[in-house]
Amino acid sequence: MKGLIVLSSTERLPGGRSAGFWLPEAAYPWRALLAAGWDFEFTSTRAGRPPAGGVDRSDPPQRMFLEDPVVQDRLENTRTPDLLCPDDYGIVFVAGGHGAIIDLPGDARLVRFLADYWAGRDSAVIAAVCHGVAALLDVPGPDGTPLVSGRRMTAFTQEEERAVGLDRIVPYFLGEALAERGARYEAGDAFRSHVVADGRLITGQNPASTADLARTGVELASGRPLPRHWLRRSAPLAAR
Protein backbone atom coordinates (compact mmCIF):
# COMPACT_ATOMS: atom_id res chain seq x y z
CA MET A 1 0.00 0.00 0.00
CA LYS A 2 1.02 3.60 -0.54
CA GLY A 3 0.14 6.90 1.10
CA LEU A 4 0.15 10.31 -0.56
CA ILE A 5 1.33 13.50 1.20
CA VAL A 6 0.04 16.76 -0.31
CA LEU A 7 2.32 19.81 0.02
CA SER A 8 1.92 23.51 -0.71
CA SER A 9 4.13 25.16 -3.31
CA THR A 10 3.42 28.73 -2.16
CA GLU A 11 6.72 30.43 -1.32
CA ARG A 12 5.46 33.76 0.05
CA LEU A 13 2.36 35.14 1.73
CA PRO A 14 0.91 38.55 0.85
CA GLY A 15 3.35 41.03 2.35
CA GLY A 16 6.37 38.83 1.70
CA ARG A 17 6.51 36.47 4.70
CA SER A 18 7.89 33.05 3.76
CA ALA A 19 5.34 30.25 3.49
CA GLY A 20 5.57 26.75 2.03
CA PHE A 21 4.51 23.53 3.75
CA TRP A 22 5.16 23.00 7.49
CA LEU A 23 7.84 20.34 7.52
CA PRO A 24 6.78 18.36 10.63
CA GLU A 25 3.30 18.04 9.13
CA ALA A 26 4.87 16.01 6.32
CA ALA A 27 7.53 14.25 8.41
CA TYR A 28 5.12 12.77 10.96
CA PRO A 29 2.76 11.22 8.38
CA TRP A 30 5.83 9.91 6.56
CA ARG A 31 7.03 8.21 9.75
CA ALA A 32 3.58 6.74 10.36
CA LEU A 33 3.47 5.31 6.85
CA LEU A 34 6.90 3.73 7.25
CA ALA A 35 5.98 2.25 10.61
CA ALA A 36 2.95 0.61 8.99
CA GLY A 37 5.15 -0.82 6.22
CA TRP A 38 3.68 1.44 3.56
CA ASP A 39 5.35 3.30 0.73
CA PHE A 40 4.82 7.04 0.22
CA GLU A 41 4.70 9.74 -2.42
CA PHE A 42 4.46 13.53 -2.47
CA THR A 43 2.38 15.82 -4.63
CA SER A 44 2.30 19.61 -4.83
CA THR A 45 0.66 22.31 -6.90
CA ARG A 46 3.91 22.94 -8.77
CA ALA A 47 6.19 20.14 -9.95
CA GLY A 48 9.55 19.80 -8.24
CA ARG A 49 10.70 20.57 -4.72
CA PRO A 50 8.16 22.56 -2.70
CA PRO A 51 9.42 25.12 -0.14
CA ALA A 52 9.46 24.04 3.51
CA GLY A 53 9.05 25.98 6.75
CA GLY A 54 8.94 25.14 10.43
CA VAL A 55 12.14 23.10 10.30
CA ASP A 56 13.46 21.86 13.65
CA ARG A 57 16.44 19.52 13.31
CA SER A 58 16.38 18.78 17.04
CA ASP A 59 13.13 16.84 16.43
CA PRO A 60 14.08 13.25 15.45
CA PRO A 61 11.30 12.66 12.87
CA GLN A 62 12.14 15.92 11.12
CA ARG A 63 15.85 15.17 11.15
CA MET A 64 15.25 11.69 9.71
CA PHE A 65 12.97 13.20 7.06
CA LEU A 66 15.62 15.72 6.04
CA GLU A 67 18.41 13.14 5.98
CA ASP A 68 16.55 10.35 4.18
CA PRO A 69 17.80 10.14 0.57
CA VAL A 70 14.54 8.63 -0.71
CA VAL A 71 12.54 11.50 0.78
CA GLN A 72 14.89 14.05 -0.75
CA ASP A 73 14.78 12.42 -4.18
CA ARG A 74 10.99 12.27 -4.16
CA LEU A 75 10.70 15.89 -3.03
CA GLU A 76 12.91 16.94 -5.92
CA ASN A 77 10.67 15.03 -8.32
CA THR A 78 7.25 15.83 -6.86
CA ARG A 79 4.46 15.52 -9.43
CA THR A 80 1.28 17.56 -9.70
CA PRO A 81 -2.04 15.84 -8.77
CA ASP A 82 -3.27 15.50 -12.36
CA LEU A 83 -0.45 13.05 -13.05
CA LEU A 84 -1.48 10.72 -10.22
CA CYS A 85 -3.99 7.87 -10.12
CA PRO A 86 -6.31 8.06 -7.08
CA ASP A 87 -6.58 4.27 -6.95
CA ASP A 88 -2.88 3.99 -6.09
CA TYR A 89 -3.29 5.34 -2.55
CA GLY A 90 -4.77 3.94 0.63
CA ILE A 91 -4.62 7.28 2.46
CA VAL A 92 -4.08 10.92 1.53
CA PHE A 93 -2.47 13.30 4.03
CA VAL A 94 -2.60 17.06 3.50
CA ALA A 95 0.17 18.96 5.27
CA GLY A 96 -0.38 22.51 6.44
CA GLY A 97 1.75 25.61 6.62
CA HIS A 98 0.28 28.99 5.77
CA GLY A 99 1.05 28.47 2.09
CA ALA A 100 -1.65 25.82 1.99
CA ILE A 101 -4.49 28.31 2.33
CA ILE A 102 -3.21 30.13 -0.76
CA ASP A 103 -2.67 27.44 -3.39
CA LEU A 104 -4.37 24.22 -2.28
CA PRO A 105 -8.09 25.16 -2.41
CA GLY A 106 -7.74 26.94 -5.75
CA ASP A 107 -5.88 24.18 -7.55
CA ALA A 108 -8.40 22.50 -9.86
CA ARG A 109 -6.14 19.49 -10.35
CA LEU A 110 -5.97 18.82 -6.60
CA VAL A 111 -9.71 19.40 -6.15
CA ARG A 112 -10.45 16.89 -8.91
CA PHE A 113 -7.98 14.36 -7.53
CA LEU A 114 -9.42 14.53 -4.01
CA ALA A 115 -12.99 14.26 -5.31
CA ASP A 116 -12.13 11.22 -7.43
CA TYR A 117 -10.14 9.63 -4.63
CA TRP A 118 -12.98 10.02 -2.12
CA ALA A 119 -15.63 8.74 -4.52
CA GLY A 120 -13.52 5.89 -5.83
CA ARG A 121 -13.65 3.53 -2.85
CA ASP A 122 -15.41 3.11 0.46
CA SER A 123 -12.10 2.72 2.27
CA ALA A 124 -10.59 6.05 1.19
CA VAL A 125 -9.09 8.01 4.11
CA ILE A 126 -8.25 11.73 4.00
CA ALA A 127 -6.31 13.27 6.89
CA ALA A 128 -5.61 17.03 6.79
CA VAL A 129 -3.88 19.10 9.45
CA CYS A 130 -3.79 22.78 10.32
CA HIS A 131 -3.95 24.98 7.18
CA GLY A 132 -3.92 21.84 5.03
CA VAL A 133 -7.65 21.52 5.76
CA ALA A 134 -8.06 24.34 3.20
CA ALA A 135 -7.52 21.77 0.44
CA LEU A 136 -10.97 20.35 1.23
CA LEU A 137 -12.94 23.59 0.99
CA ASP A 138 -14.01 23.28 -2.64
CA VAL A 139 -13.94 19.49 -3.04
CA PRO A 140 -17.37 18.15 -4.06
CA GLY A 141 -18.73 15.00 -2.51
CA PRO A 142 -20.22 12.20 -4.63
CA ASP A 143 -23.63 13.91 -4.61
CA GLY A 144 -22.23 17.25 -5.74
CA THR A 145 -22.58 19.03 -2.39
CA PRO A 146 -19.40 20.12 -0.58
CA LEU A 147 -17.50 17.15 0.83
CA VAL A 148 -17.20 18.98 4.14
CA SER A 149 -20.93 19.68 4.47
CA GLY A 150 -22.40 18.19 7.65
CA ARG A 151 -19.05 16.83 8.82
CA ARG A 152 -17.35 17.46 12.15
CA MET A 153 -14.03 19.16 11.41
CA THR A 154 -11.32 21.32 12.90
CA ALA A 155 -8.53 23.56 11.57
CA PHE A 156 -6.23 26.39 12.65
CA THR A 157 -8.30 28.89 14.64
CA GLN A 158 -8.68 32.67 14.57
CA GLU A 159 -7.16 32.78 18.05
CA GLU A 160 -4.10 30.94 16.79
CA GLU A 161 -3.83 33.21 13.72
CA ARG A 162 -3.82 36.25 16.00
CA ALA A 163 -1.22 34.65 18.27
CA VAL A 164 1.21 34.15 15.35
CA GLY A 165 0.50 37.64 14.01
CA LEU A 166 -1.07 36.58 10.73
CA ASP A 167 -4.73 37.36 11.33
CA ARG A 168 -4.41 40.44 9.09
CA ILE A 169 -2.41 38.58 6.43
CA VAL A 170 -4.40 35.42 5.75
CA PRO A 171 -7.15 35.91 3.13
CA TYR A 172 -9.75 34.08 5.24
CA PHE A 173 -10.19 32.18 8.48
CA LEU A 174 -10.57 28.44 8.03
CA GLY A 175 -13.27 28.03 10.68
CA GLU A 176 -15.49 30.56 8.91
CA ALA A 177 -14.78 29.09 5.47
CA LEU A 178 -15.66 25.59 6.66
CA ALA A 179 -18.87 26.76 8.35
CA GLU A 180 -19.93 28.58 5.17
CA ARG A 181 -19.79 25.25 3.37
CA GLY A 182 -21.86 23.48 6.00
CA ALA A 183 -19.11 21.87 8.08
CA ARG A 184 -19.57 21.50 11.84
CA TYR A 185 -16.42 23.30 12.90
CA GLU A 186 -14.89 22.50 16.30
CA ALA A 187 -12.00 24.30 18.00
CA GLY A 188 -9.95 22.95 20.87
CA ASP A 189 -7.44 24.73 23.08
CA ALA A 190 -4.95 26.89 21.21
CA PHE A 191 -1.74 25.14 20.19
CA ARG A 192 -2.73 21.86 21.84
CA SER A 193 -3.45 18.64 20.01
CA HIS A 194 -7.04 18.44 18.80
CA VAL A 195 -8.03 15.82 16.23
CA VAL A 196 -11.54 15.27 14.92
CA ALA A 197 -12.46 12.09 13.07
CA ASP A 198 -15.72 12.00 11.14
CA GLY A 199 -15.74 8.58 9.59
CA ARG A 200 -12.88 8.42 7.10
CA LEU A 201 -12.28 12.18 7.16
CA ILE A 202 -9.78 13.22 9.84
CA THR A 203 -8.69 16.76 10.61
CA GLY A 204 -6.16 18.23 13.04
CA GLN A 205 -6.29 21.76 14.40
CA ASN A 206 -2.63 22.79 14.50
CA PRO A 207 0.95 21.51 14.31
CA ALA A 208 0.65 20.00 17.80
CA SER A 209 -2.07 17.72 16.39
CA THR A 210 0.11 16.20 13.68
CA ALA A 211 1.38 13.11 15.49
CA ASP A 212 -2.10 12.15 16.70
CA LEU A 213 -3.55 12.77 13.24
CA ALA A 214 -0.85 10.71 11.52
CA ARG A 215 -1.32 7.80 13.88
CA THR A 216 -5.12 7.92 13.69
CA GLY A 217 -5.10 8.09 9.90
CA VAL A 218 -2.64 5.27 9.27
CA GLU A 219 -4.24 3.00 11.84
CA LEU A 220 -7.64 3.55 10.24
CA ALA A 221 -6.32 2.96 6.72
CA SER A 222 -4.19 -0.07 7.62
CA GLY A 223 -6.55 -1.63 10.14
CA ARG A 224 -3.85 -2.21 12.75
CA PRO A 225 -2.08 -0.21 15.47
CA LEU A 226 1.30 1.36 14.92
CA PRO A 227 4.30 0.29 16.99
CA ARG A 228 4.39 2.07 20.32
CA HIS A 229 7.48 4.14 19.52
CA TRP A 230 6.74 4.70 15.84
CA LEU A 231 8.10 8.26 15.81
CA ARG A 232 11.55 7.26 17.06
CA ARG A 233 12.29 3.80 15.79
CA SER A 234 13.56 2.75 12.38
CA ALA A 235 10.98 1.24 10.06
CA PRO A 236 11.69 -0.12 6.56
CA LEU A 237 9.97 1.19 3.49
CA ALA A 238 7.50 -1.14 1.83
CA ALA A 239 9.31 -0.39 -1.42
CA ARG A 240 12.15 1.92 -2.41
Side-chain angles (χ1 to χ4, degrees), residues 30-226:
W30 166 73
R31 290 297 302 168
L33 289 167
L34 297 194
W38 285 32
D39 202 352
F40 68 95
E41 189 169 354
F42 302 111
T43 188
S44 55
T45 56
R46 190 168 62 242
R49 179 179 287 270
V55 179
D56 179 4
R57 286 184 172 272
S58 69
D59 179 35
Q62 294 186 59
R63 187 171 62 251
M64 288 184 282
F65 184 90
L66 291 166
E67 295 175 354
D68 188 284
V70 177
V71 168
Q72 298 311 307
D73 178 70
R74 293 182 185 182
L75 284 174
E76 288 290 346
N77 296 284
T78 295
R79 296 184 293 167
T80 52
D82 55 310
L83 300 179
L84 308 179
C85 176
D87 292 339
D88 289 346
Y89 308 98
I91 186 170
V92 173
F93 285 103
V94 187
H98 276 86
I101 65 174
I102 305 295
D103 62 341
L104 297 191
D107 191 281
R109 299 163 300 179
L110 179 59
V111 169
R112 188 179 313 111
F113 174 88
L114 291 173
D116 291 345
Y117 170 74
W118 187 260
R121 66 175 87 172
D122 292 339
S123 60
V125 177
I126 295 178
V129 65
C130 199
H131 294 89
V133 178
L136 304 174
L137 289 175
D138 295 327
V139 177
D143 62 357
T145 61
L147 175 64
V148 303
S149 181
R151 294 187 176 276
R152 296 175 54 239
M153 301 181 68
T154 190
F156 207 65
T157 67
Q158 289 189 41
E159 177 186 1
E160 289 166 326
E161 294 287 13
R162 286 192 294 271
V164 298
L166 289 174
D167 55 307
R168 296 180 182 272
I169 300 297
V170 293
Y172 55 88
F173 295 117
L174 273 169
E176 292 179 351
L178 288 166
E180 288 170 359
R181 291 158 175 80
R184 297 158 56 195
Y185 177 71
E186 303 177 10
D189 293 337
F191 303 111
R192 293 183 179 273
S193 179
H194 180 62
V195 173
V196 176
D198 190 314
R200 297 175 288 113
L201 183 63
I202 307 165
T203 49
Q205 179 174 313
N206 48 38
S209 309
T210 309
D212 290 334
L213 175 115
R215 177 185 51 77
T216 300
V218 168
E219 289 183 347
L220 178 61
S222 66
R224 61 181 185 272
L226 291 181

